[in-house]
Amino acid sequence: MPRPATPAAEDCLKTVYAAGEWSDEKITLSKLAQALGVSPSTASEAVRKLTDAGLLRHERYGGVELTEAGRLQALGVVRRHRLIETFLVADLGYSWDEVHEEAEVLEHAVSDRMLDRLDRRLGHPERDPHGDPIPRPDGTVPRPGAHSLADLPEGAAGSVARISDADPEVLRYFADLGIGLDLHVRVVKRREFAGTTVVRLGEGPGGREVDLGDPAVAAVWVLPAAR
Amino acid sequence: MPRPATPAAEDCLKTVYAAGEWSDEKITLSKLAQALGVSPSTASEAVRKLTDAGLLRHERYGGVELTEAGRLQALGVVRRHRLIETFLVADLGYSWDEVHEEAEVLEHAVSDRMLDRLDRRLGHPERDPHGDPIPRPDGTVPRPGAHSLADLPEGAAGSVARISDADPEVLRYFADLGIGLDLHVRVVKRREFAGTTVVRLGEGPGGREVDLGDPAVAAVWVLPAAR
DNA sequence: AAACGCTTTTCGGTCCACCGAAAACTCCTC
DNA sequence: GAGGAGTTTTCGGTGGACCGAAAAGCGTTT
Ligand SMILES: [Fe+2]
Ligand SMILES: [Fe+2]
Ligand SMILES: [Fe+2]
Ligand SMILES: [Fe+2]
């Protein structure tokens, strides 16, 4: 995975990648700008440059996509980000709501050598503290077939495979509730009108039921139980 | 220790600090520029800005010095640099010639929180892998009374307290020779004319003698043996 | 005191990341 | 098919970090 020039470019590629990771639509300029925290004009300029560099594909007034070269570079950034998050939790005692911000900065600063050392020391992990898959150096990505809890029908059950790290507050909330990776969950009842879902946590008699709001439900991804 | 704005500014302050660390003369613009790897005009501009910000003292055509505020910020950068170097060697298995470059980048990226965790995990070390003192969070600096081997008279002995990390090649050379921190050394014979010094390594019968060139001798700092 | 070499400063200019305002465009509605 | 809302692009402008050329200043030598 070659290194692009600048942190801003890396963030741009990473964001485009992230947009296509769990669904696959091209991201719009305005969403890109918003995700990057810059004005639309700035995002437009950045996209133009990366398109010229052959890392993005983009037709005027259309959505933005990674080229194959761009995808490789994005994977590099994502790999760095997620390995760093894993390291911070596993070795430095960070909690999972603290790591994202730190990784956001460090992903632009660690060398290949350091990344190798981290990877080895962590035992070549396949997912980060939030369950996001860590791209391998060869550009492949471990892909658990997870679905958002929001898309599961009533009665469906599985184990938590991923929790979106977008909002640290949500992560702290889940930690309080005892919701973490690999926890067994079941959709008990949907209350569409109220915007909440009753979810059973844990298997057997030790389980509890909680009432989760839509945003929380959408943040949880589940690997359906084999049946 | 407050954080200055930009990596370039941090590097500038750090370099001015480094210049005054083992001797105490104000650094000149040209040396500063050279150390930073930028043109004199760039260095001049940077110094002007930091002077305006109250971090440097500088009279036109004169040397450059840290103000008290500047010293605090410089100490912050140096603390980060050296703690990171220590971590890389102690925890990630780097050799001492590999760490400087990496730390050069990471020092601008780690947060206070991460620095705290590293510090705690390393047991609040007082010196880095090259023997350089690690400034404490309160702005004090552990100060071993070391002298350059180049300044010691024939017959003088002591333990290696510091080895300049300026040149990785020199570090690898020393590693090959078995020269490391706390090794007992004695100045056996100076050959000024030849630019070399005979140094005895180790105490007692297990000791060996080596012939070191002036640059190598100048890179070694010794804590004179109590006598 | 004039001249020389070196250092420092100033000056104009580049590139990058950013912004807001205004123009261009798309798409949906009436 | 004309408007209008929202999105995208273009345009002019800022500030930071850099550079090389040229001017200014300093210290020393003649
Ligand atoms: Fe993250
Ligand atoms: Fe994550
Ligand atoms: Fe260093
Ligand atoms: Fe060091």
Side-chain angles (χ1 to χ4, degrees):
Chain A
M1 305 185 192
R3 289 275 187 129
T6 140
E10 289 191 342
D11 284 334
C12 190
L13 294 172
K14 185 186 60 174
T15 305
V16 174
Y17 176 83
E21 189 170 21
W22 299 99
S23 73
D24 46 23
E25 296 171 25
K26 305 183 192 175
I27 190 175
T28 68
L29 238 313
S30 43
K31 283 197 176 170
L32 182 56
Q34 196 172 0
L36 290 170
V38 300
S39 76
S41 50
T42 301
S44 175
E45 192 194 2
V47 167
R48 187 180 41 70
K49 276 199 212 144
L50 290 169
T51 303
D52 291 351
L55 300 174
L56 291 180
R57 213 169 312 123
H58 176 231
E59 24 197 275
R60 297 180 106 250
Y61 297 97
V64 181
E65 247 181 335
L66 290 167
T67 63
E68 196 42 38
R71 192 176 150 272
L72 278 180
Q73 298 214 3
L75 283 174
V77 185
V78 170
R79 176 173 163 80
R80 296 202 286 279
H81 181 100
R82 294 183 181 167
L83 264 179
I84 290 165
E85 285 190 347
T86 307
F87 164 74
L88 292 175
V89 167
D91 277 30
L92 290 190
Y94 275 62
S95 59
W96 72 353
D97 58 300
E98 296 171 328
V99 296
H100 182 75
E101 253 195 316
E102 190 92 44
E104 209 57 39
V105 177
L106 288 175
E107 68 190 5
H108 307 297
V110 303
S111 69
D112 287 349
R113 170 185 282 145
M114 181 156 171
L115 206 71
D116 263 23
R117 306 279 171 124
L118 291 178
D119 188 37
R120 201 177 318 157
R121 163 188 261 274
L122 295 167
H124 311 287
E126 297 230 305
R127 63 180 192 183
D128 80 2
H130 313 100
D132 287 304
I134 298 175
R136 306 195 185 88
D138 65 4
T140 60
V141 183
R143 278 247 150 264
H147 304 275
S148 170
L149 202 49
D151 299 335
L152 258 53
E154 278 184 4
S159 64
V160 173
R162 172 183 182 244
I163 299 185
S164 163
D165 69 350
D167 184 348
E169 279 217 64
V170 169
L171 290 173
R172 278 192 291 276
Y173 174 58
F174 283 149
D176 280 354
L177 284 176
I179 297 180
L181 293 184
D182 299 328
L183 179 71
H184 183 273
V185 294
R186 176 181 302 276
V187 179
V188 176
K189 181 103 191 89
R190 293 220 111 90
R191 291 199 247 277
E192 314 269 0
F193 55 93
T196 68
T197 299
V198 180
V199 177
R200 181 163 192 85
L201 308 178
E203 261 172 315
R208 290 170 302 125
E209 290 190 355
V210 294
D211 222 23
L212 296 178
D214 283 346
V217 169
V220 178
W221 294 65
V222 168
L223 193 65
R227 55 169 21 257
Chain B
M1 305 184 191
R3 289 276 187 127
T6 138
E10 289 191 343
D11 283 335
C12 188
L13 293 173
K14 184 186 61 173
T15 304
V16 174
Y17 176 83
E21 189 170 20
W22 300 98
S23 75
D24 46 22
E25 295 170 26
K26 308 183 191 176
I27 190 175
T28 68
L29 238 315
S30 42
K31 284 197 176 169
L32 183 56
Q34 197 172 0
L36 290 172
V38 300
S39 76
S41 50
T42 301
S44 177
E45 191 195 3
V47 167
R48 185 178 44 68
K49 275 198 212 144
L50 289 169
T51 303
D52 290 351
L55 300 174
L56 291 179
R57 213 169 311 122
H58 178 231
E59 22 196 277
R60 296 180 108 248
Y61 298 96
V64 181
E65 245 180 338
L66 290 167
T67 63
E68 196 44 35
R71 193 176 149 274
L72 279 181
Q73 298 215 4
L75 283 174
V77 185
V78 170
R79 176 173 163 77
R80 296 202 287 278
H81 181 101
R82 294 184 182 166
L83 264 178
I84 289 165
E85 285 190 346
T86 307
F87 164 74
L88 292 175
V89 167
D91 278 30
L92 290 191
Y94 276 64
S95 59
W96 71 352
D97 59 298
E98 296 171 329
V99 295
H100 182 75
E101 251 194 318
E102 189 93 45
E104 209 58 38
V105 178
L106 288 174
E107 68 190 5
H108 307 297
V110 302
S111 69
D112 288 350
R113 169 186 280 146
M114 180 156 171
L115 206 72
D116 263 24
R117 306 279 171 124
L118 291 178
D119 188 36
R120 200 178 318 157
R121 163 188 261 274
L122 295 167
H124 311 286
E126 298 229 304
R127 63 180 192 184
D128 80 3
H130 316 98
D132 286 305
I134 298 175
R136 305 195 185 89
D138 65 4
T140 60
V141 183
R143 277 245 150 266
H147 305 274
S148 169
L149 202 51
D151 300 335
L152 258 53
E154 278 185 4
S159 63
V160 174
R162 170 183 185 247
I163 298 184
S164 163
D165 68 351
D167 184 349
E169 279 218 63
V170 169
L171 289 174
R172 279 193 290 276
Y173 174 58
F174 283 150
D176 280 352
L177 285 175
I179 297 179
L181 292 184
D182 301 327
L183 179 72
H184 184 272
V185 295
R186 175 180 303 275
V187 178
V188 176
K189 181 100 191 89
R190 294 219 111 91
R191 291 198 245 275
E192 316 268 1
F193 55 91
T196 68
T197 299
V198 180
V199 177
R200 182 165 191 84
L201 308 179
E203 262 173 316
R208 290 170 303 125
E209 290 189 356
V210 296
D211 222 23
L212 297 179
D214 282 346
V217 170
V220 178
W221 294 65
V222 168
L223 193 66
R227 53 170 25 259

